Amino acid sequence: MFASAPDSGNGNSGVSRSLLIPMRFVWPYGGSRVFLCGSFTRWSEHIPMSPMEGCPTVFQVICSLSPGYHQFKFFVDNEWRHDEHQPFVIGDYGVVNTIFIAREPDMLPPSFSPETPGRSNMDLDDVSSQMEAAPTISNADLEVSRHRIAAFLSRHTAYELLPESGKVVALDVDIAVKQAFHILHEQGIPVAPLWDSCKAQFVGVLSALDFILILRELGNLGSDLTEEELETHTISAWKEGKVHISRQMDGNARSYPRRLVCAGPHDSLKDVALKILNGNVATVPITHSSSPDGLFPQLLHLATLSEILKCICRHFKHSSSSLPILQQPICSIPLGTRVPKIGESNRRPLAMLRPNASLGAALSLFVQAEVSSIPIVDENNALIDIYSRSDITTLAKDKAYAQVRLEDMSIHQALQLEQDANSFNGQRCQMCLQSDTLHKVMERLANPGTRRLVIVEAGSKRVEGIISLSDIFRFLLGV
């Protein structure tokens, strides 16, 4: 869930103080009772480890550690042991295993690529060669499944995504930023295309990420943007200012703003999906213009991966046997971001926060680590809720952003504000298990409004990973 990002001053302090990295500790050598102890427990607490499902000789536990250097060892059947296959040193407590967790997001490795076998998330449950292997799928079955899905998507067009009735919200670039975000909140939408009447074109989108950047600018003492200016600051003016902010963050001369990614009603569903993936966007506007120069296009729809996935699930509902990969458990598929196993230095950590972490820490992760959602967990890493980028628009209601400081408001308070604003009762995050099939996960993600599933351990609800719509399509299309 992390991508490389430079230090951007104010934001990093919140991340460093609040971020805990979940790590999976594994003892694959058997025993009746196995405990974990280490410097992170001050060598006083023995954390019980549980046998893995289907492999009773392999014990595991997930612990959240602060960035830095840690030592640990195992207490197996009343005897202190260390894992000789992991890094170890001789310390004050005898021979102990060691682990180092990078302190800053920019020290973390680049994101996982499904085409890189050495970085496959499939290895997360492959804790040792002595362990019973997870079900695997042959390359032939994988290629057959991908070919059939690609063929289906190539035969069908974006026109099939258009609803019989509905509305699409677009914003004029000349309206005030404050008014724009109030509209996003009132309409319950995370993104809206931007219309420039002078150019007679859609020129971009306004999203929750823009609001996050604005909130961070308001909290920046050196910023030229003030709360009063939001009353009159137009979207076009903000987009121009965003170019400067983005260049400061990236530290290079990359061209901003990016060109708006659009699709036509006759584009194939495969092309639409690839535009979303390659553009790293949540939605693609479907537009049509009868003018030869493409001016004054009609905005027909905002296409999403969820809609395309629903088409796939509907088409193969009664012929799922033609796609061998659908019955594979997700633990056997290189899919999503998983909690790394101890010793896996080439894994990206899964960002999680406690409810008492500051809202500023969450916003820093959204911007610097380029994540779209953060699981909120208790002291046992059990899932409580999830905080997403789109939740931030709640602060636009009644100018709540002007009444709070990001470092003073906790994630718990922000979630409560979200529930109060939307009169929502119950859990907002959707979950799945490592043993769930790919077909089951796809059907859940095809539900409207669902963009990700949190992988949890059965019973304890300890977070083990996260799977997004983008993860599903990158795997299905092999990109």
Side-chain angles (χ1 to χ4, degrees):
M1 289 181 69
F2 278 140
S4 179
D7 184 353
S8 60
N10 295 347
N12 269 353
S13 60
V15 177
S16 301
R17 290 195 304 269
S18 306
L19 182 63
L20 294 174
I21 308 298
M23 297 298 298
R24 186 196 306 271
F25 292 83
V26 177
W27 175 260
Y29 309 113
S32 299
R33 300 181 67 197
V34 181
F35 298 86
L36 174 71
C37 190
S39 56
F40 42 88
T41 68
R42 299 188 179 182
W43 298 102
S44 59
E45 179 185 358
H46 288 48
I47 303 173
M49 303 181 71
S50 304
M52 291 186 65
E53 182 179 353
C55 196
T57 61
V58 178
F59 292 77
Q60 68 171 353
V61 67
I62 297 176
C63 297
S64 286
L65 307 184
S66 58
Y69 179 79
H70 301 277
Q71 296 181 346
F72 64 95
K73 61 194 311 182
F74 304 91
F75 194 60
V76 184
D77 296 337
N78 297 317
E79 181 182 352
W80 286 106
R81 304 277 298 277
H82 72 280
D83 188 345
E84 296 181 355
H85 293 88
Q86 300 294 342
F88 61 88
V89 297
I90 299 178
D92 294 339
Y93 294 86
V95 181
V96 296
N97 291 116
T98 62
I99 179 177
F100 177 76
I101 301 175
R103 184 170 301 277
E104 300 292 348
D106 61 334
M107 295 173 63
L108 298 171
S111 58
F112 159 76
S113 168
E115 299 177 350
T116 310
R119 305 175 92 169
S120 168
N121 285 336
M122 189 172 167
D123 296 335
L124 289 173
D125 289 330
D126 182 19
V127 296
S128 130
S129 59
Q130 303 175 14
M131 183 180 161
E132 180 180 329
T136 57
I137 185 172
S138 68
N139 288 334
D141 284 343
L142 177 59
E143 290 308 313
V144 165
S145 299
R146 283 176 170 171
H147 174 76
R148 288 173 177 166
I149 290 174
F152 165 75
L153 293 177
S154 298
R155 291 194 307 267
H156 294 262
T157 67
Y159 184 82
E160 299 174 47
L161 300 178
L162 305 186
E164 293 183 2
S165 63
K167 67 177 180 180
V168 183
V169 177
L171 301 173
D172 193 290
V173 293
D174 291 328
I175 70 171
V177 169
K178 176 199 167 186
Q179 181 184 358
F181 286 116
H182 185 76
I183 292 172
L184 290 185
H185 170 68
E186 290 298 318
Q187 297 296 322
I189 54 176
V191 61
L194 299 177
W195 173 258
D196 189 327
S197 56
C198 294
K199 298 179 180 179
Q201 289 281 6
F202 290 101
V203 294
V205 297
L206 189 74
S207 69
L209 183 58
D210 287 297
F211 196 26
I212 290 173
L213 291 174
I214 286 175
L215 291 179
R216 283 164 55 88
E217 275 298 291
L218 288 175
N220 184 353
L221 295 178
S223 173
D224 294 328
L225 185 63
T226 65
E227 292 176 20
E228 292 75 16
E229 286 180 331
L230 283 185
E231 303 285 342
T232 56
H233 207 63
T234 63
I235 295 176
S236 59
W238 159 246
K239 288 296 184 179
E240 290 177 6
K242 184 181 177 183
V243 173
H244 176 68
I245 296 173
S246 299
R247 283 176 176 160
Q248 282 186 324
M249 289 170 50
D250 282 11
N252 58 36
R254 198 166 55 169
S255 177
Y256 286 93
R258 294 186 302 176
R259 184 180 177 184
L260 176 64
V261 180
C262 287
H266 301 297
D267 288 354
S268 72
L269 292 181
K270 181 180 179 181
D271 287 341
V272 174
L274 289 174
K275 285 184 176 183
I276 293 175
L277 294 176
N278 295 334
N280 193 27
V281 294
T283 184
V284 163
I286 306 298
T287 61
H288 173 70
S289 174
S290 55
S291 173
D293 54 11
L295 296 180
F296 297 100
Q298 290 179 297
L299 178 60
L300 304 177
H301 188 57
L302 296 180
T304 65
L305 292 178
S306 177
E307 295 174 313
I308 301 175
L309 186 60
K310 190 171 184 177
C311 291
I312 296 174
C313 292
R314 184 169 58 238
H315 179 77
F316 291 100
K317 182 176 183 180
H318 301 295
S319 58
S320 58
S321 58
S322 65
L323 300 178
I325 59 174
L326 292 188
Q327 300 311 315
Q328 288 290 309
I330 59 172
C331 65
S332 69
I333 299 174
L335 194 62
T337 303
R338 312 291 178 95
V339 171
K341 178 169 65 71
I342 200 74
E344 290 180 328
S345 58
N346 62 336
R347 296 280 178 253
R348 285 187 306 162
L350 175 64
M352 300 193 296
L353 290 175
R354 300 278 192 258
N356 60 353
S358 72
L359 180 59
L363 300 195
S364 294
L365 284 176
F366 288 146
V367 175
Q368 297 168 16
E370 297 183 3
V371 298
S372 61
S373 61
I374 305 170
I376 309 304
V377 298
D378 63 15
E379 62 276 4
N380 297 315
N381 287 338
L383 184 65
I384 299 174
D385 210 322
I386 194 164
Y387 196 72
S388 304
R389 274 195 310 223
S390 57
D391 292 331
I392 199 66
T393 57
T394 300
L395 294 180
K397 180 178 173 61
D398 300 326
K399 293 180 62 175
Y401 62 84
Q403 303 167 24
V404 299
R405 293 185 68 254
L406 298 181
E407 296 303 325
D408 293 339
M409 174 175 271
S410 68
I411 295 294
H412 173 75
Q413 292 170 321
L415 288 169
Q416 189 63 50
L417 187 65
E418 169 73 16
Q419 294 179 7
D420 292 344
N422 295 286
S423 301
F424 185 88
N425 294 315
Q427 191 168 24
R428 305 178 311 133
C429 48
Q430 302 295 317
M431 298 173 286
C432 65
L433 303 175
Q434 296 270 23
S435 57
D436 285 344
T437 63
L438 177 60
H439 184 227
K440 187 174 183 179
V441 168
M442 287 170 57
E443 285 190 324
R444 288 183 181 175
L445 283 171
N447 292 327
T450 302
R451 293 193 59 191
R452 63 196 63 82
L453 296 178
V454 181
I455 308 171
V456 298
E457 183 182 60
S460 70
K461 289 175 60 178
R462 276 197 290 264
V463 174
E464 296 187 321
I466 193 166
I467 297 176
S468 68
L469 281 163
S470 297
D471 295 327
I472 291 289
F473 274 86
R474 292 189 188 281
F475 174 71
L476 294 180
L477 297 178
V479 297

